[in-house]
Amino acid sequence: MLFNSVSYLLFLPIVVLAFWRLPHRFRAPLLLVASAYFYMSWFPLYGLMLGGLTLLNYGLGMAIAAIKPARPLLAKRVLITGIVLNLFTLAYFKYTDFLIESINKILAISPLETAAQLPMAHILLPLGISFFVFEFIHYLTDIYKGSRPIKDIVHFSLFAAFFPSQIAGPIKRYQDFVKQLEIPRRFDAARLEAGLALIMQGLFKKIAIADNLSSLVSIGFANAASLGAAEAWGTAIAFTVQIYCDFSGYTDMGRGSALMMGFDLPPNFNWPYIASDLSDFWKRWHISLSSWLRDYLYIPMGGSRCSDSRKQFNLVTTMVLGGLWHGAAWHFVIWGAFHGLGLVVSHMYARFVKGEGAVSVALQKWHATKYGAATSVGLTLLFVVVGWVFFRASTMGEAGALLQSAITPVPSHYLEDAYLKYPGFAALGVYCVGFCLLRLWERMPRLRPLLPARLVGYVAVFLAAVGFSPLGEAPFIYFQF
Amino acid sequence: MSIATVKKSANPAPASSSERDIVPIGFKGKYPVIKAFAQAIACAVLAIACLEGIFALAGIGETEHLRPDLRLGFKPIAGKHITQRKEGFASLAFNSQGMQNDEIPFAKPAGVFRIAIFGDSYVESLQVPRSKNYCAQLGEMLSAKWHRPVQVINFGVSNYSVAQDYLRYLELGKRYAPDMVILAFRSGESEKLLPAPSNALAFVRPVFFVRPDGGLTYDNTVVRDYLKSRDGKWMAATDWLREHSRIWSVIGRLQLNWLNAKAGIDKSLQNFAWFAGAPKAAGYVANLAERQRYLDCHWPMMDGLLRHFSSIVQAHGAKMVLMRTPMVHPGKYDLDINSLETRLLEQTARAAQCDFVDVNAALMRDVPADTYPQYFCDGGHFDVPLHHFVAERLANDLLPPEI
């Protein structure tokens, strides 16, 4: 079930209504049943896989908590076993075909004339596996570090299966989530409306902006080698907007759905495209993943409390693995490495600017000006846009072709009709105007309309989103991860 | 009541201003309900104006172009602007006579040769810019080939049957005094002569029965019944909105999404069918190929209609051409050949002393099947290369007028 589907627009109100009508003790079981339906309406068998993995991690968590005080070494072994089992599950479903394909490529260029080709496994990726596996690893690690385990199996199951964050995050921290499950909540109309507003915002971003730009981007990448510079940059920028609106739109809808039932999910985005440097970008983009990578990969590897070379190695490794997490393909690895190297250079530059030499001082002064700040934002955005080309391209050749087209000053006309047919940029304009109006109302509360007028506004946003959306329901980009 | 603010919690990172969930709740001051109501009305008016404006600028909600008509079943809304995104892309306006054409005066300028093309959406061609459809291209090609101005007029209307084409010719076409009438005949055309099992407007068609003496009896029972039905009354009641409101068109799309969602929900519930035992066997529905086998049973109806149509056209001093056009089904690129229908159509053309042009056969002969995706839109209609191909074939096969 997709958040942008009509069936979800029926499913959510039923669940929200039932949630608030039931006594507190029945709410978690209700959410668990609803989440199971949400997940299993796609592919029932994988619901059993999620259930099995949940039981396994529940048992491991309890075991770690029980044996840690007396036998810490054994607890560590149980933790490692748990992490390995989770990663193995992820690797099996996500990376088996990638591995086979890579081996086949090596075999194909081997000098042996009769090199055999391994058959592809064609494994269907369970939705959300990359997200809930990371949540389980976080859970086991934190239990080992001393956090209290979740004793209520329904609460634990819901931690992994909670439908607003089940498929594409945000990657939750169990301490925050379970605390919210345990507190009996009273119906709060303000939170319900806040949730509705987030859902409408996310819906518009997804179906009006991202889905339109998706078609435009597909045409651009399909003709990557033939595009002129303007259309190549248009394609890259369109994808930059698309991926933000697609993923943050999903997150808004997930967070909004949770908020309607009184749950706060962590935000995943904080104006990433106005980041002043790459470190800042990763503090603003997919925040729940980057903070997970920081806490459970970068810091355990030594983080920044080690030699410069080791720190740089840690950074690049973390980003490469982060890239690989996004998908089983080399272009994701390259995208991760590109960002890893960018972060290394960015850190080196930041250290140089902090120096006391004349050039450093001049640079400090320059960065303090608004032109300097704008240049930093512009250069960071340029780097990110180029990075997205690697991310979106299906092969490295395609990425290379688009980047080459971007520096080839010839005219092309592949996207002329597409800009009109898929009015994603027009929808973006409408979104920006609407966003500015909302901010204006926030600054001037006296002008803020009353509830009935606001409801009219939500209906208008909904109609605008449906009006702009292309036909059909497009899945979210991050569902494939 | 007071203004309430939702506080955020448990977020590891600072929320952006865009993600602050601040919502004022409740009303205050005197007459709160009246104030709220008045504000909601004002907001609704403003929202409608804004949405209509935005949709007009972006070309959204401009797909509705048919309205019920007692005689014809349905007809295009004159002057309606259409932006078509479903297949291909085109943004165009119907002229004041409800034709997918620029304005053309009834009076024929001296020396101009007029060709009127009738048919359904394959002629109407809402999938490509007007200048690229085969009607426009044919005009240019024939003008160059015949060394005289040739005006090609597009009378195509989505989902029209030959019966409706005939009525359109009588009501509108003959007023343009065409020198040649081309009737585009795609595969399965004869099925459209029978009442369709659908309550959608585009399937509401009058019928012509062929009497034993060869004459035609017009019957619009289906149209009258439709107009009396709930769907028909709803169509009539919302006619103004359908003509003028883009928001209304978007709401119509929502209705369509809802129907699709219902099908999706049924499908997802099937995932849980193992709780309820074995699924029931699906009902039997004859497929197109099976129906086509019985075509010669009801062909006399088409034959009589075509003979009548061509005799009227010829009586008006024009030449009649029957054109077999290619067709694929949406999402598939296999030609629907229907050779029985083609054979019957050719026989009728010969008997009615009409020219017969088989563009379908030409496409099969001249274009490799693996390139069909370039020729057809994903919904099955003609894309620009196929329009060019059809225009070329017609320009090649049509005989020049006797001067």
Side-chain angles (χ1 to χ4, degrees):
Chain A
M1 198 184 295
L2 300 173
F3 283 171
N4 53 329
S5 65
V6 181
S7 38
Y8 185 73
L9 294 181
L10 289 174
F11 169 83
L12 182 66
I14 292 170
V15 175
V16 171
L17 190 70
F19 181 85
W20 290 117
R21 295 290 295 172
L22 286 174
H24 174 68
R25 66 180 185 281
F26 294 124
R27 287 176 181 172
L30 166 82
L31 287 179
L32 189 58
V33 170
S35 299
Y37 174 76
F38 179 86
Y39 195 77
M40 291 171 78
S41 63
W42 167 67
F43 192 68
L45 203 62
Y46 279 175
L48 299 178
M49 186 274 294
L50 174 58
L53 212 54
T54 303
L55 285 177
L56 174 78
N57 282 284
Y58 176 76
L60 288 172
M62 295 301 278
I64 291 170
I67 57 180
K68 174 81 192 295
R71 304 177 66 183
L73 196 63
L74 182 62
K76 192 172 186 177
R77 282 181 187 155
V78 175
L79 168 71
I80 291 167
T81 307
I83 291 173
V84 167
L85 284 173
N86 278 299
L87 288 178
F88 176 78
T89 310
L90 180 64
Y92 172 74
F93 283 106
K94 196 164 177 174
Y95 301 106
T96 304
D97 275 336
F98 174 60
L99 190 67
I100 293 171
E101 197 185 345
S102 300
I103 292 170
N104 282 344
K105 276 183 184 166
I106 294 166
L107 289 174
I109 55 167
S110 71
L112 297 169
E113 278 183 15
T114 54
Q117 292 282 294
L118 300 173
M120 299 294 278
H122 297 299
I123 297 165
L124 184 63
L125 184 69
L127 279 177
I129 189 169
S130 307
F131 294 88
F132 55 72
V133 159
F134 271 28
E135 286 181 343
F136 286 138
I137 291 174
H138 135 73
Y139 174 74
L140 295 179
T141 311
D142 280 20
I143 298 294
Y144 178 76
K145 283 180 183 169
S147 292
R148 285 171 55 198
I150 307 171
K151 290 189 177 154
D152 186 331
I153 192 159
V154 173
H155 285 192
F156 181 76
S157 304
L158 198 52
F159 162 61
F162 188 51
F163 71 84
S165 63
Q166 188 180 43
I167 309 298
I171 301 168
K172 303 183 293 296
R173 301 298 169 102
Y174 86 93
Q175 296 91 337
D176 291 337
F177 183 73
V178 172
K179 201 186 294 169
Q180 296 185 62
L181 270 179
E182 286 165 353
I183 302 167
R185 288 169 189 280
R186 288 177 61 190
F187 175 74
D188 185 342
R191 292 175 82 88
L192 190 81
E193 196 195 335
L196 179 66
L198 267 176
I199 289 174
M200 288 303 147
Q201 177 179 297
L203 188 73
F204 191 90
K205 281 185 191 170
K206 166 63 183 162
I207 68 174
I209 303 175
D211 286 358
N212 275 306
L213 292 177
S214 157
S215 305
L216 212 144
V217 167
S218 297
I219 296 169
F221 273 89
N223 299 287
S226 318
L227 296 179
E231 290 198 333
W233 281 110
T235 302
I237 290 166
F239 184 67
T240 303
V241 178
Q242 183 207 341
I243 192 164
Y244 172 70
C245 288
D246 190 284
F247 195 16
S248 74
Y250 167 85
T251 307
D252 287 346
M253 281 190 267
R255 292 183 63 227
S257 303
L259 199 58
M260 288 178 105
M261 293 174 287
F263 292 91
D264 282 310
L265 292 182
N268 249 353
F269 298 92
N270 182 21
W271 294 90
Y273 293 151
I274 58 161
S276 56
D277 57 46
L278 271 185
S279 299
D280 189 27
F281 173 78
W282 282 104
K283 284 174 193 151
R284 294 164 174 267
W285 178 269
H286 203 171
I287 297 165
S288 66
L289 174 70
S290 44
S291 58
W292 190 98
L293 290 173
R294 181 197 63 209
D295 295 345
Y296 300 101
L297 190 61
Y298 180 66
I299 291 175
M301 282 198 304
S304 51
R305 292 182 179 177
C306 46
S307 68
D308 275 356
S309 57
R310 175 71 197 191
K311 182 182 154 187
Q312 287 161 4
F313 172 80
N314 291 345
L315 258 180
V316 175
T317 307
T318 303
M319 295 311 294
V320 166
L321 290 174
L324 195 60
W325 173 89
H326 280 85
W330 286 108
H331 61 102
F332 287 122
V333 177
I334 300 291
W335 173 75
F338 182 71
H339 269 274
L341 292 172
L343 279 168
V344 168
V345 173
S346 174
H347 284 186
M348 287 164 71
Y349 178 74
R351 228 169 61 176
F352 175 73
V353 171
K354 279 181 191 163
E356 290 172 358
V359 180
S360 299
V361 172
L363 282 171
Q364 279 171 30
K365 282 183 183 166
W366 162 250
H367 282 295
T369 65
K370 59 184 175 187
Y371 299 110
T375 307
S376 300
V377 170
L379 286 175
T380 306
L381 184 58
L382 180 68
F383 186 91
V384 169
V385 170
V386 173
W388 286 137
V389 173
F390 293 110
F391 188 93
R392 169 60 177 79
S394 42
T395 60
M396 284 305 294
E398 198 175 74
L402 192 90
L403 291 174
Q404 197 175 357
S405 295
I407 51 168
T408 312
V410 292
S412 63
H413 307 281
Y414 287 92
L415 299 176
E416 265 174 7
D417 276 356
Y419 283 124
L420 294 169
K421 182 174 180 181
Y422 305 108
F425 283 118
L428 180 66
V430 171
Y431 178 80
C432 291
V433 171
F435 185 81
C436 291
L437 276 176
L438 285 175
R439 293 288 84 85
L440 195 71
W441 276 330
E442 270 184 15
R443 287 183 183 197
M444 290 186 275
R446 287 172 64 84
L447 290 180
R448 197 174 291 151
L450 298 170
L451 182 65
R454 291 201 302 273
L455 290 177
V456 169
Y458 296 134
V459 172
V461 172
F462 178 71
L463 286 175
V466 173
F468 271 102
S469 69
L471 292 169
E473 290 162 3
F476 291 88
I477 294 176
Y478 267 67
F479 277 21
Q480 63 187 295
F481 308 142
Chain B
M1 287 169 80
S2 62
I3 288 179
T5 303
V6 176
K7 296 252 192 286
K8 302 292 300 294
S9 67
N11 294 335
S16 66
S17 57
S18 69
E19 290 174 330
R20 262 184 275 142
D21 307 314
I22 303 166
V23 180
I25 285 289
F27 321 119
K28 52 185 180 178
K30 281 184 178 177
Y31 311 115
V33 176
I34 296 171
K35 260 190 193 171
F37 183 72
Q39 207 182 62
I41 298 286
C43 192
V45 171
L46 189 69
I48 289 169
C50 287
L51 279 182
E52 287 290 353
I54 290 166
F55 286 173
L57 284 173
I60 285 166
E62 297 184 338
T63 50
E64 295 262 5
H65 70 294
L66 300 176
R67 65 156 42 118
D69 182 87
L70 182 62
R71 185 163 165 75
L72 288 160
F74 56 89
K75 65 180 183 183
I77 300 170
K80 183 79 196 275
H81 192 273
I82 291 289
T83 301
Q84 202 285 122
R85 293 188 164 93
K86 194 176 167 190
E87 289 178 69
F89 175 76
S91 181
L92 38 90
F94 284 77
N95 70 14
S96 57
Q97 300 300 320
M99 292 150 63
Q100 213 278 66
N101 243 313
D102 298 336
E103 292 293 345
I104 298 176
F106 289 125
K108 186 164 54 176
V112 168
F113 187 86
R114 267 190 178 165
I115 300 177
I117 305 188
F118 290 83
D120 61 5
S121 54
Y122 290 78
V123 178
E124 192 181 38
S125 312
L126 297 179
Q127 296 72 29
V128 297
R130 184 173 286 163
S131 60
K132 291 180 180 171
N133 71 32
Y134 71 80
C135 299
Q137 293 194 53
L138 179 65
E140 287 171 17
M141 287 178 191
L142 287 181
S143 297
K145 190 177 171 188
W146 292 352
H147 307 294
R148 62 181 292 187
V150 176
Q151 229 173 32
V152 179
I153 310 176
N154 185 340
F155 285 92
V157 178
S158 297
N159 237 23
Y160 256 24
S161 66
V162 174
Q164 288 167 301
D165 291 332
Y166 173 55
L167 288 167
R168 190 163 165 83
Y169 171 76
L170 293 177
E171 284 206 346
L172 187 65
K174 70 177 185 188
R175 297 174 70 186
Y176 287 89
D179 300 294
M180 181 185 282
V181 171
I182 300 177
L183 179 65
F185 202 98
R186 52 103 162 159
S187 178
E189 198 68 64
S190 40
E191 297 242 332
K192 291 198 285 185
L193 288 187
L194 307 174
S198 168
N199 58 355
L201 176 62
F203 290 93
V204 179
R205 305 183 182 107
V207 175
F208 279 102
F209 295 106
V210 185
R211 295 194 300 269
D213 64 356
L216 297 179
T217 300
Y218 168 78
D219 184 304
N220 68 344
T221 312
V222 171
V223 184
R224 281 186 281 117
D225 287 350
Y226 173 79
L227 292 174
K228 276 186 232 161
S229 71
R230 199 181 57 181
D231 293 317
K233 283 178 181 164
W234 178 249
M235 274 287 166
T238 57
D239 191 66
W240 187 90
L241 285 170
R242 293 175 62 253
E243 182 174 356
H244 296 101
S245 171
R246 290 167 176 86
I247 296 175
W248 189 254
S249 182
V250 170
I251 291 170
R253 240 184 86 182
L254 268 175
Q255 195 184 1
L256 202 68
N257 287 354
W258 161 242
L259 292 175
N260 290 337
K262 258 176 77 177
I265 291 168
D266 289 345
K267 197 179 162 194
S268 74
L269 286 175
Q270 280 171 12
N271 286 335
F272 299 91
W274 45 279
F275 284 124
K280 288 177 186 168
Y284 172 75
V285 178
N287 62 30
L288 188 66
E290 283 167 331
R291 293 205 302 275
Q292 283 172 0
R293 260 188 255 138
Y294 300 94
L295 183 63
D296 43 3
C297 302
H298 60 271
W299 184 259
M301 204 168 163
M302 177 62 84
D303 181 72
L305 181 57
L306 287 174
R307 283 176 190 234
H308 208 87
F309 194 170
S310 56
S311 69
I312 294 285
V313 167
Q314 285 158 5
H316 290 150
K319 193 174 180 182
M320 181 83 176
V321 177
L322 297 183
M323 173 175 62
R324 181 67 158 155
T325 53
M327 182 182 164
V328 294
H329 290 285
K332 297 172 186 169
Y333 296 100
D334 301 326
L335 274 183
D336 184 355
I337 296 167
N338 203 347
S339 51
L340 173 61
E341 196 179 48
T342 306
R343 189 165 49 77
L344 292 168
L345 183 67
E346 200 171 357
Q347 279 172 13
T348 299
R350 211 176 302 128
Q353 296 179 319
C354 303
D355 285 353
F356 179 71
V357 178
D358 192 348
V359 182
N360 188 41
L363 186 77
M364 284 195 287
R365 188 184 60 231
D366 299 345
V367 176
D370 58 352
T371 60
Y372 286 168
Q374 297 165 24
Y375 283 75
F376 292 93
C377 298
D378 50 8
H381 287 99
F382 298 176
D383 210 336
V384 173
L386 187 51
H387 277 284
H388 186 74
F389 181 85
V390 175
E392 266 189 340
R393 291 315 313 165
L394 277 173
N396 195 49
D397 290 359
L398 292 179
L399 295 173
E402 295 160 10
I403 303 168

